Amino acid sequence: MAMDFVGNCGCLYMMKKTQEQVFIAKLVARLAIPYHVDHLSALKPTLNALFQMKSFLIDQTRNINETMFELDVGNTIPSLNLLSLSTASASTITSSYIFWETKCKNNEPAQK
């Protein structure tokens, strides 16, 4: 999950890597930082999206920590074969490409 801002308009999106080594972005939420009192209503969905991102990051951290623990245990006691992870060497990983376009009209909040 990532966030991108241009001026006061932004978006929260998730990336997925395809077999062709291309990243596809999926919009999760449009974000807005109000610059005028009339646009204050756009702040609530932005805050909700930021809390959604926080939950996602907490879950990812938990999953990474569990995987790192399993790797440590597997390296410490290799005879148990606790893991069935496939290992790819760095030489087999090819470059990836990211395609992304931010659309936001000037002087308008990204979400109402």
Side-chain angles (χ1 to χ4, degrees):
M1 189 172 284
M3 185 175 13
D4 186 31
F5 270 92
V6 176
N8 69 319
C9 299
C11 53
L12 185 65
Y13 57 94
M14 294 189 74
M15 303 287 284
K16 181 179 181 179
K17 188 175 182 180
T18 65
Q19 292 178 349
E20 295 82 20
Q21 305 302 315
V22 175
F23 286 94
I24 304 295
K26 178 183 176 187
L27 182 67
V28 174
R30 295 201 182 278
L31 308 172
I33 299 175
Y35 59 91
H36 192 272
V37 146
D38 295 337
H39 301 145
L40 206 52
S41 62
L43 187 59
K44 185 176 179 182
T46 297
L47 291 175
N48 286 335
L50 292 175
F51 281 116
Q52 183 180 1
M53 182 178 183
K54 176 187 171 191
S55 295
F56 173 81
L57 293 174
I58 288 171
D59 291 342
Q60 289 300 311
T61 302
R62 185 178 302 118
N63 292 339
I64 290 169
N65 286 338
E66 289 173 2
T67 302
M68 292 299 293
F69 175 75
E70 290 173 1
L71 284 172
D72 285 345
V73 169
N75 290 336
T76 304
I77 311 170
S79 62
L80 292 179
N81 282 335
L82 296 176
L83 300 175
S84 61
L85 299 175
S86 62
T87 57
S89 67
S91 62
T92 63
I93 300 173
T94 60
S95 62
S96 302
Y97 302 96
I98 299 174
F99 298 99
W100 185 254
E101 179 181 344
T102 303
K103 295 180 180 179
C104 186
K105 295 179 182 177
N106 291 337
N107 298 327
E108 289 186 16
Q111 189 174 19
K112 292 185 179 184

